[in-house]
């Protein structure tokens, strides 16, 4: 089936959706992106994703040639052109075409790309049985170098961590920050539960301020969990009662083994099941039908 991609104001066929090799997004990873999910005609936490995109742009002094409202319209148009109900939306704004030097002032116009496609989750088995993860040597970027709050096209340290996870034979890596505290995974935020308390690293530990992380932090008190954002080490992971990840593509996925140690009895915990249910309920019902 044909797939239409939004490219600088036009909807073009997938095979025609091309940018120049002189684009600094390609040459230097100079650009930003968002990953958004739509559930039966609603776009989950749409405004928050658009706000985060524009915050990332501001941080790297990237000019987006659309207002937030125009960007929202363009996203809806792209979903409609592909006749999708439930989908994953990738929004990319790159610095655009320049010369071979890295100075972004040689790039007069950014490129705006919107792709709406099917969702790629972890295989269903992991939602039932839980994931195995490992901590890896590659550290998360320090905020003083490239702040992980910027959702930039520069994901190379996460990619190195993913390679390390692959080599360990698991799907996901837990990344520590430069001080050895747990930061996040390569594409998801991480949580533990200990004695009826939900703990996640503060964003200042070196994590993206995940929009689904916020959803989890909203739901947790409704389940009777105390919520804390605080630093913790690998020891806390190994000795947790429960552990799970959150992210737009992954939603909430249980973790049952870390660095070859079972989390509790090695099966997903009760709070995690309840969080998965509540998360899905919210994602499927919150907000208005907009397409
Ligand atoms: N951390 C990283 C590094 C990410 O790329 C993502 C997005 N996939 C997340 C966390 C989760 O963020 P969100 O809940 O906004 O999808």
């Amino acid at each position: 089936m044909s797939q239409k991609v939004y490219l600088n104001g036009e909807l073009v066929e997938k095979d025609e959706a091309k940018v120049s090799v002189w684009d600094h997004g390609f040459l230097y990873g100079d650009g930003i992106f968002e990953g958004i999910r739509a559930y039966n005609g609603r776009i989950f936490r749409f405004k928050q994703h658009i706000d985060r995109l524009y915050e990332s742009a501001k941080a790297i002094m990237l000019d987006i040639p659309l207002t937030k409202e125009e960007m929202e319209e363009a996203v809806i148009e792209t979903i409609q052109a592909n006749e999708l109900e439930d989908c994953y939306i990738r929004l990319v704004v790159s610095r655009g075409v320049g010369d071979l030097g890295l100075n972004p002032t040689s790039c007069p116009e950014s490129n705006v790309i919107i792709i709406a496609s099917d969702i790629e989750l972890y295989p269903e088995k992991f939602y039932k049985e839980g994931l195995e993860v490992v901590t890896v040597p590659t550290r998360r970027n320090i905020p003083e170098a490239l702040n992980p709050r910027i959702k930039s096209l520069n994901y190379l340290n996460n990619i190195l961590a993913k390679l390390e996870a692959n080599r360990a034979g698991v799907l996901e890596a837990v990344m520590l920050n430069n001080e050895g505290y747990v930061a996040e995974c390569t594409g998801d935020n991480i949580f533990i539960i200990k004695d009826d308390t939900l703990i996640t690293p503060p964003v200042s530990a070196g994590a993206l301020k995940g929009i689904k992380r916020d959803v989890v932090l909203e739901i947790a008190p409704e389940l009777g969990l105390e919520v804390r954002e605080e630093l913790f080490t690998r020891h806390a992971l190994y000795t947790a009662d429960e552990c799970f990840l959150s992210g737009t593509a992954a939603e909430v996925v249980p973790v049952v083994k870390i660095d070859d140690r079972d989390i509790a009895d090695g099966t997903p915990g009760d709070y995690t099941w309840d969080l998965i249910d509540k998360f899905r309920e919210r994602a499927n019902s919150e907000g208005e039908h907009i397409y």
Side-chain angles (χ1 to χ4, degrees):
M1 196 199 122
S2 98
Q3 187 181 354
K4 295 248 183 335
V5 174
Y6 176 100
L7 178 62
N8 298 324
E10 308 216 6
L11 285 160
V12 298
E13 281 302 325
K14 180 180 175 184
D15 291 346
E16 305 301 318
K18 293 176 182 159
V19 293
S20 164
V21 296
W22 300 88
D23 187 320
H24 280 206
F26 175 72
L27 288 173
Y28 292 115
D30 185 353
I32 53 169
F33 76 104
E34 267 304 317
I36 311 177
R37 267 291 280 274
Y39 295 81
N40 62 49
R42 303 167 162 95
I43 303 178
F44 194 35
R45 304 278 159 122
F46 195 16
K47 184 178 173 316
Q48 288 88 333
H49 281 285
I50 297 292
D51 285 346
R52 189 171 66 185
L53 181 81
Y54 281 75
E55 283 178 7
S56 295
K58 181 162 235 179
I60 70 161
M61 300 175 86
L62 174 68
D63 186 36
I64 302 181
L66 301 173
T67 63
K68 288 186 182 179
E69 292 71 32
E70 287 167 343
M71 186 65 88
E72 286 173 12
E73 278 304 309
V75 169
I76 295 167
E77 222 179 277
T78 309
I79 298 172
Q80 282 171 334
N82 288 287
E83 295 171 23
L84 292 162
E85 277 277 304
D86 291 359
C87 64
Y88 178 82
I89 302 133
R90 173 60 59 92
L91 244 164
V92 181
V93 186
S94 66
R95 188 76 67 177
V97 172
D99 58 29
L100 283 184
L102 62 76
N103 193 341
T105 56
S106 75
C107 311
E109 262 172 64
S110 51
N111 276 318
V112 180
I113 296 153
I114 306 171
I115 305 167
S117 79
D118 293 332
I119 301 146
E120 280 176 41
L121 291 171
Y122 289 114
E124 187 55 31
K125 151 177 158 54
F126 296 108
Y127 291 87
K128 298 203 173 86
E129 295 167 18
L131 268 183
E132 177 176 355
V133 302
V134 290
T135 56
V136 293
T138 296
R139 299 294 167 107
R140 193 67 177 95
N141 280 329
I142 56 168
E144 295 81 0
L146 174 58
N147 197 317
R149 291 195 62 168
I150 303 168
K151 205 162 164 56
S152 80
L153 293 182
N154 196 322
Y155 255 52
L156 207 43
N157 75 326
N158 298 40
I159 289 164
L160 291 173
K162 187 65 110 177
L163 286 171
E164 288 157 358
N166 290 347
R167 288 179 63 85
V170 304
L171 291 183
E172 187 52 297
V174 178
M175 302 180 77
L176 309 178
N177 69 13
N178 214 29
E179 271 106 44
Y181 293 106
V182 173
E184 61 175 342
C185 292
T186 66
D188 297 310
N189 290 109
I190 188 163
F191 299 80
I192 53 172
I193 295 173
K194 183 79 175 173
D195 299 332
D196 305 313
T197 300
L198 176 78
I199 311 169
T200 194
V203 170
S204 57
L208 183 73
K209 192 173 184 310
I211 287 161
K212 307 309 138 75
R213 175 184 182 276
D214 287 345
V215 175
V216 169
L217 294 177
E218 276 169 37
I219 295 172
E222 296 169 17
L223 301 176
L225 283 161
E226 194 194 317
V227 172
R228 295 215 300 257
E229 293 178 56
E230 67 184 28
L231 294 170
F232 58 86
T233 61
R234 282 186 297 184
H235 182 75
L237 288 177
Y238 302 156
T239 56
D241 299 334
E242 302 185 31
C243 180
F244 62 87
L245 314 180
S246 78
T248 291
E251 301 183 317
V252 174
V253 60
V255 173
V256 292
K257 201 171 195 179
I258 300 179
D259 294 345
D260 268 330
R261 291 138 171 109
D262 282 341
I263 306 297
D265 67 358
T267 62
D270 291 341
Y271 280 123
T272 304
W273 288 129
D274 289 347
L275 274 158
I276 292 173
D277 284 349
K278 286 238 174 214
F279 182 99
R280 287 192 169 155
E281 208 178 284
R282 202 163 286 211
N284 278 286
S285 63
E286 189 182 281
E288 316 230 312
H289 278 273
I290 54 174
Y291 60 88

